Amino acid sequence: QVQLVESGGGSVQVEGSLRLSCAAYGYTTTERCMAWFRQAPGKEREGVAVVYTGSGRAFYSDSVKGRFTVSQEKSNHTMYLQMNSLKPEDTAMYYCAAALGQWPCFGDNRYSVSEYGYWGQGTQVTVSS
């Protein structure tokens, strides 16, 4: 059974940085689509970064492009989200997600919640001014 475990959230001031980690357990393939989502209170869950673990090809939403970077360490099945130049509007619970395969990465719905079958428990990020 696939399990995703996030860590690295916390509180930071505006323009600060944080790095989130997502450790994946139970996968039998190294080629899959994984993503970072976030959800602020009263808002829908929003996809912010997607990565195809086979090649490392990454995609970003407009809201984080140029500030966030997704990476991975294949040897220990861990995905990272480096977040720089943080803004108060980045405050949210951040979730790691994984698809059953690689296809969501290359489709029009890569940021859709429904494309991902596995989710972590979330880690809180709070950005204060």
Side-chain angles (χ1 to χ4, degrees), residues 93-115:
M93 184 72 78
Y94 282 72
Y95 297 89
C96 169
L100 294 174
Q102 57 183 272
W103 69 89
C105 278
F106 304 103
D108 294 335
N109 297 322
R110 62 173 65 99
Y111 299 115
S112 175
V113 169
S114 62
E115 294 290 334

Side-chain angles (χ1 to χ4, degrees), residues 24-104:
Y25 303 94
Y27 256 109
T28 57
T29 176
T30 58
E31 296 184 356
R32 58 188 176 270
C33 190
M34 296 188 69
W36 287 99
F37 285 75
R38 67 185 182 187
Q39 188 167 20
K43 294 190 176 182
E44 292 187 355
R45 195 166 293 191
E46 169 196 20
V48 297
V50 172
V51 63
Y52 169 54
T53 62
S55 64
R57 173 79 185 274
F59 307 85
Y60 301 93
S61 68
D62 289 342
S63 60
V64 306
K65 194 174 297 182
R67 300 187 298 121
F68 290 13
T69 303
V70 62
S71 62
Q72 61 173 337
E73 188 169 337
K74 289 187 176 182
S75 60
N76 60 8
H77 302 287
T78 301
M79 177 177 66
Y80 303 98
L81 185 67
Q82 178 66 43
M83 305 185 296
N84 298 329
S85 301
L86 283 161
K87 306 175 182 180
E89 51 264 43
D90 294 318
T91 295
M93 184 72 78
Y94 282 72
Y95 297 89
C96 169
L100 294 174
Q102 57 183 272
W103 69 89

Side-chain angles (χ1 to χ4, degrees), residues 6-18:
E6 303 103 331
S7 60
S11 296
V12 64
Q13 292 190 328
V14 170
E15 291 298 317
S17 298
L18 280 174

